[in-house]
Amino acid sequence: MPAPNIAINLTRLNEEIPDHVGLVAVSKTKSADMILEAYNAGHRMFGENRAQELATKFEELPKDIIWHFIGHLQSKKVKYISGFVNLIHAVDSLKLLQVINKEALKHNRTIDCLLQIHIAKEENKYGFSPEEITNLIDSDELTELKNIRIKGLMGMATFTEDNSIIESEFLGLKKMFDKVKSLKNERFEPTILSMGMSGDYKIAVEMGSNLIRVGSLIFGERT
Ligand SMILES: *Cc1c(COP(=O)(O)O)cnc(C)c1O
């Protein structure tokens, strides 16, 4: 496999996506050198899905990188990233939020989070149901978490070739986002809808995503 041209891939993507859509370059499993290549091409926002790997890369790489945690996060791993992480995309339980709050407080920070909503048909994908999301945002338990800010929702579509399924799932998520936006909680400042990856970001953007998480199209396939 030839080495991917990271700078060119980034330029192509940035030219293609509308200005209001943010691009998280998903660098999981990729080397610090490859991340630096993207950094030197001007990119600053990167996503990782393993807490220790992210902590190591944070130590090694320039400190103005904006790090997002994008995958399922275990409570016991929060401590590795709580000192510096900029956005946690896939919060899927109140318990996890409480741990993030506690760790954020230790660092005297507020940590921005997205709630993962379960839209895909696959059972193995994590996330809240629409009803659970509404209940959580309405809850006093959330209001008490002073070192957390819920910035929006995140979701993943079913892994399928059938674009009509992906389209309807992303549309469902967008509608859910527009609905919960009107809920009031001091901890809730919804501006971000994170959906779309290498295979489905075009559909996601059409359906209203404003933050996409793209890995293999930038850095090449993961082995
Ligand atoms: C790996 C991953 C991505 C990026 O996947 P690609 O298909 O390589 O773009 C996006 N979101 C999450 C949650 C991931 O785990």
Side-chain angles (χ1 to χ4, degrees):
M1 207 166 40
N5 193 320
I6 293 169
I8 288 180
N9 295 343
L10 273 168
T11 304
R12 280 204 193 113
L13 260 168
N14 277 317
E15 279 171 2
E16 193 189 313
I17 60 178
D19 287 344
H20 72 275
V21 177
L23 172 61
V24 181
V26 176
S27 49
K28 63 191 188 193
T29 76
K30 301 297 179 180
S31 68
D33 280 348
M34 289 179 89
I35 297 172
L36 262 185
E37 224 176 297
Y39 179 90
N40 289 332
H43 200 76
R44 291 294 179 271
M45 207 192 313
F46 295 88
E48 292 280 337
N49 73 340
R50 297 267 185 274
Q52 280 118 317
E53 181 178 341
L54 173 49
T56 305
K57 286 174 172 170
F58 169 74
E59 289 301 326
E60 286 172 7
L61 285 158
K63 291 297 172 281
D64 62 338
I65 288 182
I66 297 162
W67 289 108
H68 288 194
F69 192 88
I70 59 164
H72 176 64
L73 179 58
Q74 290 174 272
S75 298
K76 64 180 181 199
K77 303 271 173 82
V78 174
K79 60 174 184 278
Y80 296 114
I81 61 171
S82 47
F84 64 89
V85 71
N86 190 270
L87 180 68
I88 299 178
H89 279 238
V91 173
D92 56 5
S93 71
L94 174 61
K95 182 188 157 226
L96 177 58
L97 267 184
Q98 288 164 336
V99 173
I100 296 170
N101 184 69
K102 205 173 94 188
E103 294 296 327
L105 180 60
K106 285 183 193 165
H107 294 279
N108 201 15
R109 306 180 65 219
T110 300
I111 297 183
D112 289 341
C113 298
L114 305 177
L115 301 176
Q116 180 171 10
I117 168 160
H118 185 105
I119 46 171
K121 296 202 169 30
E122 287 117 286
E123 275 303 311
N124 59 358
K125 293 216 164 114
Y126 295 95
F128 294 102
S129 70
E131 196 190 343
E132 287 169 330
I133 296 254
T134 309
N135 292 341
L136 176 63
I137 297 169
D138 268 336
S139 71
D140 294 337
E141 281 105 325
L142 178 62
T143 316
E144 282 163 22
L145 304 179
K146 307 281 185 210
N147 292 69
I148 289 284
R149 200 160 35 209
I150 306 291
K151 296 291 289 181
L153 302 181
M154 175 268 194
M156 289 203 267
T158 303
F159 189 71
T160 170
E161 302 273 284
D162 185 343
N163 285 349
S164 68
I165 294 178
I166 299 173
E167 212 175 285
S168 75
E169 287 177 352
F170 282 155
L171 186 62
L173 184 53
K174 172 66 162 79
K175 286 187 172 154
M176 185 67 207
F177 181 58
D178 289 338
K179 202 173 119 193
V180 299
K181 261 184 184 170
S182 60
L183 299 173
K184 298 277 178 265
N185 189 306
E186 285 168 56
R187 305 273 85 78
F188 185 53
E189 296 176 13
T191 55
I192 300 175
L193 179 56
S194 164
M195 53 184 200
M197 326 191 347
S198 290
D200 57 19
Y201 74 91
K202 288 183 192 174
I203 303 175
V205 168
E206 270 173 47
M207 295 301 123
S209 168
N210 61 16
L211 190 60
I212 60 175
R213 312 174 309 270
V214 177
S216 35
L217 266 187
I218 299 169
F219 295 107
E221 295 294 331
R222 288 175 297 274
T223 45

